[in-house]
């Protein structure tokens, strides 16, 4: 079986970028081991005012420390840190944006959560998503998987007992599926969103939503359909973050033939003004997203 290192070599990935991807992927082991002793929810709030889980801060401190030491990274922007962090003495070629532990409200109930990472070349993190050099997520489910794109399709690897990531699927293509999952509270959904979800349901779409963006997206990547966290009445910005969540996941979706949108335009074309800025998100099969964008507001 092909390992992630062999895959990256075959794709002619620059060695620094390959090393960075492998270094991040290696952190799945320590993160998985840390769950058992970090089950509580901390008293602290993150920059978006959400309660932090111990695992949010543990994963953030752990990955940031490893990256800061690596010499490969010059800037780190994390959902769990207010400010962008400049790695001292680093002449690293890359800047990293990350949600160290996405879906943390599901830790207490042992459902799948993950780590989302986007990698840009150069010393800047306020970039359009379509400028990303690589995006990946680690999913801590029954298996630990790495879903990766370096801009030439999407590959899926599983972590074996010997610590190697083995290629399970190359060139994943997102089908035009019929699963949908939408966050937010139904009475607060906008008219456009409610109408669109109703039309998908009328066509036979089936609702599946766990509350972990990375896990909910993973099933859409494989089966096709729609994941949405929409604008709500009184909350036009939605809940999820453009830089840490939408851009890396959108990059992967697009590399698999899908799309990401805020409901009216491609999220990968948007230049963020602030690392913590939020956005409504619609990600999934290309045809579904295009139908949504064609609807009047
Ligand atoms: P969490 O706060 O548990 O980290 O980005 C945050 C996020 O989870 C997403 O992973 C998830 O899709 C969403 O929030 C869940 O929000 P709801 O509880 O409102 O469904």
């Amino acid at each position: 079986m092909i390992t992630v290192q062999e895959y990256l070599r075959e794709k002619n990935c620059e060695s620094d970028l390959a090393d960075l991807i492998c270094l991040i992927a290696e952190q799945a082991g320590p993160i998985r081991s840390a769950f058992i002793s970090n089950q509580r929810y901390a008293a602290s709030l993150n920059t978006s005012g959400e309660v932090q889980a111990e695992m949010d801060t543990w994963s953030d401190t752990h990955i940031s420390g490893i990256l800061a030491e690596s010499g490969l990274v010059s800037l780190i922007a994390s959902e769990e840190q207010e400010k962008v962090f400049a790695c001292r003495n680093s002449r690293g070629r890359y800047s990293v944006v990350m949600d160290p532990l996405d879906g943390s409200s599901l830790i207490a109930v042992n459902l799948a959560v993950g780590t989302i990472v986007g990698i840009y070349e150069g010393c800047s993190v306020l970039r359009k998503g379509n400028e990303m050099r690589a995006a990946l997520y680690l999913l801590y489910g029954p298996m630990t998987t790495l879903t990766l794109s370096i801009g030439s399709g999407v590959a899926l690897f599983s972590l074996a007992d010997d610590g190697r990531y083995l290629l399970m699927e190359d060139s994943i293509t997102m089908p035009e599926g019929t699963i949908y999952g939408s966050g937010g509270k139904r009475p607060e959904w906008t008219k456009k969103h409610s109408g669109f979800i109703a039309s998908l349901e009328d066509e036979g779409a089936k609702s599946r939503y766990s509350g972990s963006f990375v896990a909910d997206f993973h099933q859409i990547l494989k089966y096709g359909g729609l994941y949405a966290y929409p604008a709500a009445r009184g909350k036009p910005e939605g809940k999820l973050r453009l830089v840490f969540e939408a851009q890396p996941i959108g990059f992967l979706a697009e590399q698999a033939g899908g799309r990401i949108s805020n409901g009216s335009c491609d999220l990968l074309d948007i230049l963020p003004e602030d690392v913590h800025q939020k956005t409504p998100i619609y990600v999934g099969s290309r045809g579904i997203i295009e139908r949504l964008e064609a609807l009047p507001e």
Side-chain angles (χ1 to χ4, degrees):
M1 289 186 98
I2 298 175
T3 64
V4 65
Q5 286 84 358
E6 288 163 346
Y7 168 88
L8 290 166
R9 260 198 307 277
E10 225 169 75
K11 295 270 177 195
N12 294 319
C13 181
E14 304 98 82
S15 64
D16 276 3
L17 182 58
D19 289 349
L20 178 56
I21 289 166
C22 294
L23 182 66
I24 294 167
E26 276 167 27
Q27 305 321 311
I31 290 172
R32 269 209 104 110
S33 304
F35 278 111
I36 196 155
S37 47
N38 291 279
Q39 281 288 308
R40 286 177 305 187
Y41 289 84
S44 52
L45 300 178
N46 68 14
T47 308
S48 300
E50 295 162 350
V51 173
Q52 285 178 309
E54 277 182 342
M55 274 308 291
D56 281 323
T57 43
W58 193 95
S59 312
D60 180 44
T61 308
H62 177 76
I63 303 174
S64 300
I66 296 278
L67 294 181
E69 289 293 304
S70 70
L72 297 165
V73 173
S74 51
L75 281 187
I76 304 169
S78 165
E79 186 179 303
E80 303 305 330
Q81 292 175 40
E82 191 189 341
K83 296 209 165 83
V84 176
F85 171 74
C87 303
R88 253 187 298 143
N89 303 326
S90 172
R91 289 176 312 187
R93 261 173 79 185
Y94 299 101
S95 295
V96 165
V97 296
M98 65 172 176
D99 181 350
L101 204 85
D102 181 63
S104 45
S105 63
L106 298 186
I107 292 167
V109 291
N110 196 29
L111 289 180
V113 295
T115 297
I116 304 174
V117 178
I119 301 172
Y120 292 99
E121 193 153 2
C123 192
S124 146
V125 288
L126 289 176
R127 307 270 286 276
K128 291 183 182 175
N130 53 28
E131 291 171 14
M132 210 165 261
R133 266 310 272 108
L136 63 92
Y137 58 83
L138 300 165
L139 187 59
Y140 314 114
M143 291 191 293
T144 298
T145 57
L146 162 66
T147 304
L148 169 69
S149 178
I150 55 167
S152 50
V154 177
L156 176 68
F157 302 84
S158 282
L159 183 60
D161 286 345
D162 61 7
R164 294 183 308 157
Y165 277 93
L166 303 177
L167 183 65
M168 308 294 283
E169 245 182 288
D170 195 359
S171 307
I172 295 179
T173 307
M174 196 188 291
E176 284 295 324
T178 54
I179 290 173
Y180 79 91
S182 176
K185 296 178 183 151
R186 204 170 269 264
E188 293 172 5
W189 286 354
T190 62
K191 228 167 140 189
K192 175 173 168 175
H193 184 74
S194 302
F196 190 60
I197 296 296
S199 68
L200 294 178
E201 285 169 340
D202 288 346
E203 292 161 19
K206 188 162 69 173
S207 167
R208 281 196 191 171
Y209 179 85
S210 75
S212 162
F213 177 44
V214 63
D216 287 327
F217 170 72
H218 194 64
Q219 65 169 342
I220 299 298
L221 176 71
K222 299 271 289 182
Y223 300 144
L226 172 73
Y227 172 92
Y229 209 111
R233 294 205 184 93
K235 221 174 165 193
E237 73 286 7
K239 179 180 180 191
L240 302 193
R241 267 92 0 179
L242 175 62
V243 169
F244 309 118
E245 290 164 315
Q247 289 181 327
I249 293 290
F251 184 83
L252 287 156
E254 185 148 300
Q255 285 291 320
R259 285 274 321 276
I260 191 161
S261 173
N262 61 9
S264 51
C265 72
D266 195 324
L267 279 178
L268 296 182
D269 289 334
I270 293 181
L271 184 64
E273 289 169 12
D274 182 278
V275 282
H276 291 282
Q277 111 187 34
K278 294 179 181 176
T279 179
I281 288 183
Y282 293 85
V283 60
S285 307
R286 181 165 289 267
I288 293 180
I289 304 295
E290 283 171 0
R291 270 174 58 194
L292 171 78
E293 286 179 338
L295 295 174
E297 286 307 315

